Amino acid sequence: MKLNVGRLADLPTDRCRATEDGSTIVFRVGSEAKAFANNCLHQDAPLAGGWITDGIVACPFHFWRYHVADGQLVGSVAALVARPVTITDGEVWVEVPDRDIRSVREVMLDHARTWSREDAADDRT
């Protein structure tokens, strides 16, 4: 699904802003918009609100740092999950994953409908 995150000129250059659904962070680097999954590789903390300095995004919780160009963790080959960005007439669109919006109850009921004692016995062997 594509989300409109506003005008390129209005995107922050010094902070990570979350998309409306919270799944993605977005910010401006020069004349480009960058978007990555809103999950730090360290303890899955949200990156929204993290600050950007000298081409580096810092996680606001534990200060893990990532390169703004590609989301690569400083000093590692690991990287944030990049999200595709399109700019049309100055408006920034970010491709975000579809969310499973079922309630916990619905998820549990779906699981219960397919569960059998034989499955549980197979798991213990």
Side-chain angles (χ1 to χ4, degrees), residues 3 18-25 36-39 83 96-97 99:
L3 289 180
T19 55
E20 180 180 299
D21 71 343
S23 71
T24 304
I25 56 165
F36 298 98
N38 188 16
N39 304 94
R83 303 276 194 242
V96 298
R99 293 278 186 160

Side-chain angles (χ1 to χ4, degrees), residues 5 8 12 15 36 41 48-49 53-54 65 72 75 77 89 93 108 124:
V5 295
L8 178 64
R15 285 271 190 223
F36 298 98
L41 299 177
T53 307
D54 298 327
R65 301 174 310 136
Q72 186 173 357
V77 296
D89 297 326
W93 295 84
M108 297 297 289
R124 287 181 279 189

Side-chain angles (χ1 to χ4, degrees), residues 34-120:
K34 296 288 185 173
F36 298 98
N38 188 16
N39 304 94
C40 180
L41 299 177
H42 177 245
Q43 298 185 356
D44 206 28
L47 291 167
W51 58 95
I52 301 168
T53 307
D54 298 327
I56 302 292
V57 172
C59 175
F61 288 90
H62 303 107
F63 310 110
W64 279 42
R65 301 174 310 136
Y66 304 89
H67 296 280
V68 295
D70 57 8
Q72 186 173 357
L73 178 63
V74 172
S76 175
V77 296
L80 299 171
V81 175
R83 303 276 194 242
V85 175
T86 307
I87 301 172
T88 305
D89 297 326
E91 293 288 321
V92 179
W93 295 84
V94 177
E95 186 73 34
V96 298
D98 290 333
R99 293 278 186 160
D100 185 354
I101 56 172
R102 299 178 301 160
S103 69
V104 172
R105 180 179 185 275
E106 291 169 319
V107 171
M108 297 297 289
L109 285 171
D110 286 347
H111 177 73
R113 288 183 186 107
T114 62
W115 184 84
S116 72
R117 289 186 185 272
E118 290 79 28
D119 292 339

